[in-house]
Amino acid sequence: MIEPSLAADAPRDEIERRLRQTEDELAQLSKISGGQELDLKDQIARLRARVDALRAALWRDPTPWQIVQVARHAERPKLPDYLSALFSDVVELRGDRLFADDRAIFCGLARFDGRAVAVIGHNKGKDTRENLERRWGMPNPDGYRKAIRVARLAEKIGVPVVALVDTPAAYPGIEAEQRGQAEAIARSILVMSQLRAPIVVAITGEGGSGGALAIAVGDRLLMMQYAIYSVIPPEGCAAILWRDAARKEEAAAALRLTAPDLLAAGIVDEIVPEPTGGAHLDAPTAIAALRDALRRALDAVREEEVPALLSERYAKFRRIGPFAG
Amino acid sequence: MLNWLKRPKFDATVERREMPSGLWEKCPRCAQIIYVKELERNAKVCPKCGWHHRLSAAERLSLVVDEGTFEEWDGGMTSLDPLSFPKYAEKAREARAQTGSDDAVITGEGPILDVRAAVGAMDFTFMGGSMGAVVGERITRMFERARERGLPVITFSASGGARMQEGAISLMQLAKTSAAVGRLHDARLPFISVLCDPTTGGTTASFAMLGDVHIAEPGALIGFAGRRVIEQTINQKLPDNFQTAEFLQKHGMIDMIVPRTDLKEALARLLRLMLPHQPAQDARERNDDRAVAGR
Ligand SMILES: [Zn+2]
């Protein structure tokens, strides 16, 4: 039920202007009706419907940069939200047994649908204090080495791995380089490619290059509708390409980092639908959709024998990369 | 056989262009003026300061593979432009024209002091040695073929990382090549990774850091994140020696730093040690040893 005066192909900023206007009206009306006897229910319902319609219009065809912003949204569901909603009996396993416990990566055992799994995921914080401790979800080598350790445990006890990917990048820091960030990522990729246990990966937010891929090698790759997966952040790409980080919107489009792009490239297997405007606007619906997708993926991979699983996993990545000649 | 094998041993046309005479070149490290012929005779190691100048893939192969024996694998593969990325097709075309190479790696088989090996050399002059689908595919095929034929693998990396212009497809080459390394390890075949200047980003975060033995050239820049990105993130200046071969060795990532002029010998010695059951050309030497011991 879009406003009759708004053309179907109205420009984005026009829709945004109307949306803000309608939201203001709605807020005002709600305030008035709160303190008084006036029955404004009908009017409020009409405005709400209009807000929904405008949002839908805005999101019928979101730009790649808008999707980047949603993928990075501060209120987007994060690992703790998925952990508490989708898993039970969660037991965190800490430390890489080599140097440290990296808070930027969560590892543990838990139940999904009542059955044991290992969970590995990037762990963005919900506030500044948590984010300082967790480096905004950017792991050090210790995080990847902990992931390797827990993946090997999953292999040993015969349970699948569920990996939840949401990181801007592997942490670019002095200690990270000293302790072998590159080696840790490479090793994790190698171990996951050969792990004799099923692996289901879900890219829930930011799939930031090698820092994401380190825990994103698996048998089924799910990607939330407004998640991104990219070899470089759009800002970095713009800085290299045009020496101007401000051209990030163009770079976001050029990099083809949205879920439909990744599906088309044969990199992800399934897109998990999100509510209009993004998961942060209706987290329970988004989380429920991920539950369904994870359930189907886990059911499918549990059916397979390990040798078949491994050769299919190898082939899955082996065939990515078109060339001429 | 590649036409470069017929060329003079080192071809420094790219760097030479800066000096009008063509006979003299300025070392980027010590700023001394060097006689080009002297530099080339010395495997492009500066005779004044020892700085290892960058080599093209062809120069690298001619330096380590026994002369006239290199057999190229999977030549003729060129990149597509799967994302229709701004200016990519043009840049790739220019790089092909300038370097005379198909892409940023040459792979194939060639004995090193008579020890058979699969060898892959990256070329930093080709779009910063970046790894897109062609590099990923050629590296992967090299590991797969080496496994089928029971050959050890040596890679010479010189790369800024994944090729941005191929987006997530280039990122997946990290997974593809690393998985292929895993299969070579399973077949118990040795893999020596030689990290040359510079090796960073997705290339270090995949096959280049998965060797049984890691060799670096002196002074080579090796790391994951770019210097500027780190400096911006931590808001401080990094020391000069950060991410050098020597820094990495100190932190346990590199087995040995080998001057270029000793590299061929070092590789052959290592390969022989790691292939104890192979009836190589040195079987004769072993028999001689036994004969001596028996006496
Ligand atoms: Zn010099």
Side-chain angles (χ1 to χ4, degrees), chain A residues 138 145 170-175 177-183 185-187 189-190 193-194 207-213 217 221 229-232 236-238 240-242 251 254-256 262 265 267 310-311 314-315 317-325, chain B residues 76-80 82-86 91 133-134 137 140-141 144 162-176 178-183 185-186 204-206 209-211 222-225 229-230 233-234 236 238 242-243 247 251 253:
Chain A
M138 293 187 277
R145 290 178 182 133
Y171 188 68
I174 292 178
E175 292 190 6
E177 297 290 321
Q178 286 173 335
R179 295 204 291 279
Q181 186 73 286
E183 195 276 344
I185 293 170
R187 186 69 52 191
I189 293 170
L190 175 66
S193 77
Q194 297 193 306
S209 198
L213 178 68
V217 174
L221 252 77
Y229 199 6
S230 183
V231 70
I232 187 170
C237 173
I240 293 171
L241 211 56
W242 300 294
L255 285 166
R256 312 271 172 143
L262 275 283
I267 295 169
L310 287 181
S311 60
Y314 187 84
F317 290 90
R318 181 70 188 81
R319 63 176 163 256
I320 300 170
F323 54 85
Chain B
M77 284 169 54
T78 53
S79 60
L80 293 171
L83 312 188
S84 303
F85 198 92
K91 271 185 196 158
V134 171
E137 182 70 21
T140 302
R141 286 188 190 182
E144 289 176 342
R163 186 169 296 171
M164 183 178 77
Q165 291 87 345
E166 292 186 22
I169 290 167
S170 65
L171 184 62
M172 294 307 124
Q173 306 312 308
L174 278 64
K176 195 160 116 179
S178 301
V181 173
R183 292 193 158 190
H185 288 322
D186 284 351
T204 39
S206 61
M209 272 289 165
L210 294 170
I222 304 162
F224 178 63
V229 175
I230 299 173
T233 305
I234 62 174
Q236 67 184 82
L238 294 166
F242 191 68
Q243 295 181 322
F247 173 94
H251 290 286
M253 295 297 143

Side-chain angles (χ1 to χ4, degrees), chain A residues 59-98:
Chain A
W59 277 84
R60 199 169 297 135
D61 190 19
T63 66
W65 179 247
Q66 277 182 300
I67 292 171
V68 169
Q69 288 172 304
V70 171
R72 295 172 175 175
H73 201 285
E75 272 135 51
R76 190 169 177 83
K78 298 182 186 66
L79 185 120
D81 304 303
Y82 294 114
L83 220 47
S84 61
L86 300 179
F87 300 90
S88 58
D89 284 357
V90 177
V91 178
E92 184 175 9
L93 300 173
R94 295 179 58 165
D96 63 354
R97 299 295 187 268
L98 296 163

Side-chain angles (χ1 to χ4, degrees), chain A residues 23-324:
Chain A
E23 278 172 338
D24 286 350
E25 279 175 43
L26 181 61
Q28 261 172 21
L29 219 55
S30 305
K31 210 155 79 187
I32 297 167
S33 78
Q36 299 191 14
E37 299 294 306
L38 275 169
D39 188 10
L40 298 171
K41 245 188 266 162
D42 283 0
Q43 235 176 311
I44 287 175
R46 245 196 323 276
L47 282 174
R48 271 215 182 104
R50 191 180 290 173
V51 166
D52 287 348
L54 284 166
R55 268 195 192 145
L58 207 51
W59 277 84
R60 199 169 297 135
D61 190 19
T63 66
W65 179 247
Q66 277 182 300
I67 292 171
V68 169
Q69 288 172 304
V70 171
R72 295 172 175 175
H73 201 285
E75 272 135 51
R76 190 169 177 83
K78 298 182 186 66
L79 185 120
D81 304 303
Y82 294 114
L83 220 47
S84 61
L86 300 179
F87 300 90
S88 58
D89 284 357
V90 177
V91 178
E92 184 175 9
L93 300 173
R94 295 179 58 165
D96 63 354
R97 299 295 187 268
L98 296 163
F99 184 80
D101 178 46
D102 184 6
R103 307 306 293 149
I105 283 196
F106 171 93
C107 289
L109 297 173
R111 287 184 192 281
F112 180 87
D113 279 348
R115 298 174 73 179
V117 297
V119 183
I120 296 171
H122 298 101
N123 201 8
K124 285 184 181 175
K126 65 177 181 304
D127 53 37
T128 310
R129 190 191 57 79
E130 279 187 1
N131 271 323
L132 281 171
E133 187 189 52
R134 301 176 190 180
R135 273 173 268 99
W136 285 265
M138 293 187 277
N140 265 342
D142 332 312
Y144 297 117
R145 290 178 182 133
K146 174 168 68 173
I148 291 170
R149 174 199 149 215
V150 172
R152 288 206 163 118
L153 173 63
E155 179 179 63
K156 172 180 165 175
I157 62 178
V159 301
V161 174
V162 175
L164 302 174
V165 175
D166 184 16
T167 184
Y171 188 68
I174 292 178
E175 292 190 6
E177 297 290 321
Q178 286 173 335
R179 295 204 291 279
Q181 186 73 286
E183 195 276 344
I185 293 170
R187 186 69 52 191
S188 188
I189 293 170
L190 175 66
V191 167
M192 305 283 175
S193 77
Q194 297 193 306
L195 198 77
R196 300 176 69 80
I199 305 173
V200 174
V201 179
I203 298 150
T204 60
E206 287 182 273
S209 198
L213 178 68
I215 63 163
V217 174
D219 305 301
R220 292 287 188 285
L221 252 77
L222 314 174
M223 186 164 174
M224 302 280 285
Q225 190 176 357
Y226 302 127
I228 56 170
Y229 199 6
S230 183
V231 70
I232 187 170
E235 293 88 342
C237 173
I240 293 171
L241 211 56
W242 300 294
R243 301 182 194 289
D244 182 4
R247 291 174 75 176
K248 59 204 175 194
E249 295 178 38
E250 283 166 78
L255 285 166
R256 312 271 172 143
L257 42 64
T258 70
D261 292 325
L262 275 283
L263 187 73
I267 295 169
V268 305
D269 302 305
E270 185 179 334
I271 298 176
V272 182
E274 289 189 40
T276 302
H280 60 289
L281 295 175
D282 183 359
T285 303
I287 293 170
L290 183 59
R291 174 189 287 119
D292 288 346
L294 279 177
R295 185 174 286 156
R296 272 182 283 111
L298 279 166
D299 284 349
V301 292
R302 274 183 166 127
E303 290 288 302
E304 294 195 54
E305 300 289 337
V306 167
L309 209 58
L310 287 181
S311 60
E312 281 167 35
R313 192 185 302 158
Y314 187 84
K316 178 179 171 54
F317 290 90
R318 181 70 188 81
R319 63 176 163 256
I320 300 170
F323 54 85

